[in-house]
Amino acid sequence: MILAATTNESLAHTSNYLIYSAMAVYLLAFFAHMAEWILGSRSKVARTAAALTADAAGQDGAGTVKVRVAKKGGGTAVLERPKVVTRSSAGNRDVPDGPGAAAGDVKGDLYGRIAVSFTVLAFLVEAGGVLTRALSVQRAPWGNMYEFNITFSTVAVGVYVTLLVLKKNVRWLGLPLVTSVLLDLGLAVTVLYTASDQLVPALHSYWLWIHVSTAIFCGAVFYVGAVATVLYLFRDRYEAKLAEGGKPGSFATSVLERLPAAASLDKFAYRVNAAVFPLWTFTIIAGAIWAGDAWGRYWGWDPKEVWSFITWVAYAGYLHARATAGWKGRKAATLALLAFGCWLFNYYGVNIFVNGKHSYAGV
């Protein structure tokens, strides 16, 4: 018994060490991402801006934007960018995707690859921290807010890495993702930290693995969709200003021109939210079944249950508006962010500030 307790304590210390180590590596990834954005060639960004504002004389009959670039041996070469339709709402714009954070520059791309490498390393280290935490308590590692936080950030980065492995154009997510993960882990190890302990009897169920794991995964994907939505709002405003003949500042041009077109960001956010919504539906159903086993009722209007349902309604309204009313662009983005705000309050607000049956986990 004493040996087992000593082993569990050692594993808990190892978990803490790995989480702090992951934070250090994420910090290196943050600086590398910053270098990617800062050192990426601005000249290629300027060429993209020129393509964005090209008039009809600069497009061929197929709607392809032609951009001339200098060749090393003298002369010029013509690069053709395929037409990209931003949205079907009023004020259609044909805008190409940006060149990415590195702006196609060799130096910027090098720092971007370093950033991704650090991010993957930090992900593996943090995953090790979550695993050793689970081994130290001999249960699923999400019995309190601290464990939920470290698992949530691990899964969020895992979603990002998976999209990269699938060759999706999501490296622009790297900087906001790593920044928020650092904030999340900082909050976890300072305010929310809870020593390893066993669960209350109501949580000793296989539904803990099913219900909470799906909730964490859904939250991670919703987060990715929310980041894309926020960036869409900035990019859409920028494109609208250019279309009206305005001249945004050099900082806005340098940053926003490297992102995908507003249409691409809008489509990406919609797809990830739509893809994970059925799983969020299952999460609520699984929670109701678990509540029936643990408390003898499937629904009791507990604050966590209520806000989970409110979140479901908000995302359902967003998806319904896009599918039936044809909402796209800023109106749909507002609904999406409102829905994610509901999820955030369900995640932090209900657990910390509202008393209910789900308050047993502590903070």
Side-chain angles (χ1 to χ4, degrees):
M1 182 70 70
I2 296 177
L3 179 60
T6 303
T7 301
N8 293 341
E9 183 178 354
S10 176
L11 287 170
H13 286 308
T14 301
S15 174
N16 295 339
Y17 173 77
L18 289 174
I19 295 300
Y20 279 104
S21 298
M23 292 177 66
V25 183
Y26 277 128
L27 186 61
L28 294 176
F30 170 80
F31 287 127
H33 275 299
M34 288 293 293
E36 177 188 15
W37 281 92
I38 293 172
L39 300 178
S41 172
R42 292 175 179 243
S43 62
K44 294 190 177 183
V45 172
R47 287 201 296 273
T48 305
L52 187 150
T53 56
D55 55 23
Q59 300 184 17
D60 62 18
T64 301
V65 178
K66 295 183 177 180
V67 183
R68 294 184 177 275
V69 296
K71 296 171 66 176
K72 287 186 177 180
T76 59
V78 177
L79 300 180
E80 294 186 349
R81 290 183 178 276
K83 177 181 178 181
V84 179
V85 178
T86 34
R87 56 185 182 182
S88 59
S89 57
N92 291 337
R93 299 191 298 267
D94 297 341
V95 181
D97 287 335
D105 181 72
V106 174
K107 182 183 292 186
D109 184 65
L110 173 62
Y111 280 101
R113 292 176 182 275
I114 292 173
V116 171
S117 299
F118 276 135
T119 302
V120 173
L121 176 60
F123 163 72
L124 294 175
V125 174
E126 187 181 9
V130 174
L131 177 61
T132 50
R133 176 76 175 197
L135 294 175
S136 71
V137 293
Q138 299 179 356
R139 57 169 172 77
W142 41 74
N144 50 60
M145 284 291 290
Y146 168 74
E147 295 174 356
F148 197 98
N149 263 42
I150 62 175
T151 305
F152 170 76
S153 58
T154 303
V155 175
V157 177
V159 171
Y160 170 66
V161 171
T162 300
L163 290 173
L164 288 176
V165 171
L166 295 176
K167 306 296 184 182
K168 302 299 181 181
N169 176 26
V170 294
R171 207 160 86 181
W172 46 270
L173 267 173
L175 182 58
L177 176 66
V178 169
T179 302
S180 57
V181 165
L182 281 170
L183 293 174
D184 179 76
L185 291 179
L187 180 66
V189 300
T190 55
V191 178
L192 302 177
Y193 180 77
T194 304
S196 299
D197 200 0
Q198 294 305 309
L199 300 175
V200 297
L203 289 181
H204 286 287
S205 170
Y206 60 87
W207 284 107
L208 175 66
W209 293 90
I210 300 172
H211 172 64
V212 183
S213 62
T214 54
I216 292 173
F217 179 77
C218 289
V221 178
F222 283 147
Y223 165 76
V224 170
V227 172
T229 301
V230 171
L231 293 177
Y232 158 76
L233 290 174
F234 282 105
R235 172 79 188 204
D236 181 68
R237 180 69 67 185
Y238 175 79
E239 291 178 6
K241 188 172 184 178
L242 286 177
E244 294 167 358
K247 294 183 179 180
S250 59
F251 177 78
T253 299
S254 177
V255 174
L256 297 177
E257 277 303 328
R258 306 189 198 193
L259 295 174
S264 300
L265 291 169
D266 184 41
K267 184 184 297 183
F268 175 81
Y270 171 65
R271 286 179 173 177
V272 296
N273 287 329
V276 79
F277 180 73
L279 188 60
W280 181 249
T281 304
F282 169 78
T283 300
I284 295 177
I285 295 173
I289 296 174
W290 187 12
D293 290 343
W295 300 318
R297 89 298 187 273
Y298 295 104
W299 190 266
W301 299 103
D302 183 76
K304 177 69 72 173
E305 298 169 350
V306 171
W307 276 96
S308 294
F309 180 68
I310 290 174
T311 303
W312 184 91
V313 170
Y315 274 107
Y318 160 72
L319 296 175
H320 178 75
R322 290 199 61 137
T324 60
W327 277 24
K328 294 184 180 180
R330 304 187 71 84
K331 292 191 295 184
T334 301
L335 284 178
L337 291 181
L338 177 64
F340 185 68
C342 293
W343 188 91
L344 276 182
F345 183 78
N346 188 38
Y347 177 21
Y348 286 107
V350 172
N351 283 19
I352 297 175
F353 303 112
V354 181
N355 291 324
K357 285 185 173 295
H358 288 78
S359 300
Y360 48 72
V363 297

